[in-house]
């Protein structure tokens, strides 16, 4: 069964399974079921650990995150965003330790360690800090100039591109957005068409996947942030090197969300 805080879903079914309110689910299953937290969204209003604590306080006897289920069936679920099999983090311990030395401040080091531990033991370590900085444009790290050449690799539907234009107050030299998913790229083109002419003329879109080589590859085109290169994908996309795509371009900032 499913349980959800949204009252509009109570009494409905998903894939033939009933959806209960949290209170009804606890009354029915508190002692004879495992409650698996499957909430996965950003931005989040609370951490997975907080959700787990809330369910335990309400009387659930066994609560865990969905990540161990992903580990049990990696052929179906992994890799997924930042998630993969935990042994890979352990196997890369030398690289992880080396990366830790790159940070100059305690807050970054603490967050990096928490991220590594969460990938190994998500039910005992949690990512419970949420930055209030604007993603990709932290004002205490750098300031945008009026002559930026911004390259957005993994541009999705233009969310970061829109933020860049807003942050730069329309004062920039060029904006290059690369997005592989053809469905999402259509939304990207639609957004670009709404821009004023003096802004639109400085925005270039590329419906390709960034890669170390030119090739064609299978792609899972979900028109969502979960779209990715995958052998099980039914869509073929072109891949190309940034050096080829941006020949003659001198980027000042390259953002990669891939």
């Amino acid at each position: 069964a499913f349980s959800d805080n949204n009252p509009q879903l109570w009494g409905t079914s998903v894939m033939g399974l009933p959806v209960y309110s949290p209170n009804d689910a606890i009354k029915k299953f508190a002692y004879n079921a495992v409650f698996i937290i499957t909430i996965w969204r950003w931005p989040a209003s609370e951490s997975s650990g907080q959700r787990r604590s809330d369910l335990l306080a309400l009387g659930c006897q066994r609560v865990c995150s969905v990540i161990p289920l992903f580990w049990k069936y990696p052929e179906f679920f992994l890799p997924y965003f930042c998630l993969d099999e935990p042994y890979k983090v352990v196997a890369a311990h030398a690289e992880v330790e080396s990366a830790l030395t790159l940070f100059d401040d305690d807050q970054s080091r603490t967050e990096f360690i928490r991220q590594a531990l969460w990938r190994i033991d998500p039910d005992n370590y949690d990512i419970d800090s949420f930055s209030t900085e604007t993603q990709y444009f932290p004002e205490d790290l750098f300031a945008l100039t009026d002559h930026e050449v911004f390259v957005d690799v993994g541009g999705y539907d233009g969310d970061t591109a829109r933020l860049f234009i807003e942050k730069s107050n329309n004062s920039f030299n060029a904006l290059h957005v690369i997005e592989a998913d053809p469905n999402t790229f259509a939304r990207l083109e639609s957004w670009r068409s709404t821009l004023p002419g003096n802004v639109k003329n400085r925005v270039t879109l590329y419906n390709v996947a960034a890669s170390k080589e030119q090739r064609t590859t299978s792609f899972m085109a979900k028109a969502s942030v979960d779209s990715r290169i995958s052998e099980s994908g039914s869509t073929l996309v072109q891949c190309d090197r940034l050096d080829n795509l941006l020949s003659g371009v001198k980027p000042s900032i390259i953002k990669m969300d891939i």
Side-chain angles (χ1 to χ4, degrees):
F2 292 99
S3 178
D4 200 283
N5 278 328
N6 186 350
Q8 295 182 352
L9 298 177
W10 300 346
T12 64
S13 64
V14 177
M15 299 176 66
L17 299 175
V19 180
Y20 295 102
S21 70
N23 286 337
D24 287 346
I26 291 166
K27 289 177 183 177
K28 193 174 183 66
F29 301 111
Y31 296 97
N32 58 2
V34 177
F35 282 71
I36 300 176
I37 300 172
T38 60
I39 302 169
W40 183 272
R41 68 173 186 270
W42 185 262
S45 56
E46 68 281 318
S47 68
S48 178
Q50 288 173 309
R51 297 175 184 128
R52 184 171 183 269
S53 296
D54 290 344
L55 287 170
L56 290 171
L58 289 171
C60 299
Q61 300 300 300
R62 289 168 292 182
V63 183
C64 70
S65 76
V66 72
I67 298 174
L69 183 65
F70 285 15
W71 293 342
K72 177 69 174 177
Y73 302 102
E75 65 275 20
F76 297 108
F77 296 117
L78 297 175
Y80 183 72
F81 288 97
C82 60
L83 300 178
D84 211 332
E85 294 174 275
Y87 79 87
K88 295 181 180 180
V89 178
V90 178
H93 68 89
E95 291 90 341
V96 173
E97 292 171 3
S98 177
L100 181 62
T101 66
L102 300 175
F103 298 103
D104 288 332
D105 62 285
D106 289 339
Q107 181 180 358
S108 295
R109 283 190 287 267
T110 299
E111 181 62 25
F112 181 82
I113 292 170
R114 185 183 0 248
Q115 291 277 347
L117 291 173
W118 176 77
R119 284 160 171 76
I120 299 171
D121 189 0
D123 283 327
N124 288 306
Y125 295 96
D126 198 16
I127 305 174
D128 58 5
S129 61
F130 305 105
S131 174
T132 57
E133 292 283 358
T134 301
Q135 190 178 29
Y136 303 122
F137 303 103
E139 295 179 359
D140 64 339
L141 187 61
F142 66 91
L144 293 174
T145 69
D146 59 3
H147 54 269
E148 302 290 358
V149 176
F150 188 81
V151 178
D152 185 357
V153 183
Y156 191 45
D157 63 357
D159 52 347
T160 302
R162 288 192 293 272
L163 185 58
F164 168 72
I165 292 174
E166 175 188 334
K167 289 289 184 180
S168 66
N169 198 27
N170 292 344
S171 297
F172 61 92
N173 278 1
L175 170 58
H176 299 266
V177 187
I178 299 169
E179 173 55 43
D181 188 324
N183 303 308
T184 308
F185 187 79
R187 290 153 61 187
L188 195 57
E189 288 183 306
S190 178
W191 162 73
R192 182 182 179 275
S193 69
T194 66
L195 297 174
N198 64 331
V199 177
K200 179 167 58 178
N201 294 338
R202 288 175 283 158
V203 179
T204 305
L205 307 180
Y206 307 82
N207 187 201
V208 298
S211 177
K212 65 179 181 180
E213 59 188 1
Q214 287 183 316
R215 61 191 175 102
T216 301
T217 191
S218 298
F219 191 84
M220 192 174 291
K222 294 187 174 183
S224 72
V225 293
D226 189 28
S227 298
R228 61 188 185 274
I229 290 175
S230 172
E231 292 182 356
S232 60
S234 59
T235 301
L236 292 179
V237 299
Q238 297 299 314
C239 302
D240 207 344
R241 294 166 49 89
L242 289 182
D243 288 347
N244 294 333
L245 295 172
L246 305 173
S247 178
V249 175
K250 295 182 178 180
S252 58
I253 302 174
I254 298 177
K255 162 260 175 183
M256 291 189 177
D257 191 352
I258 51 180

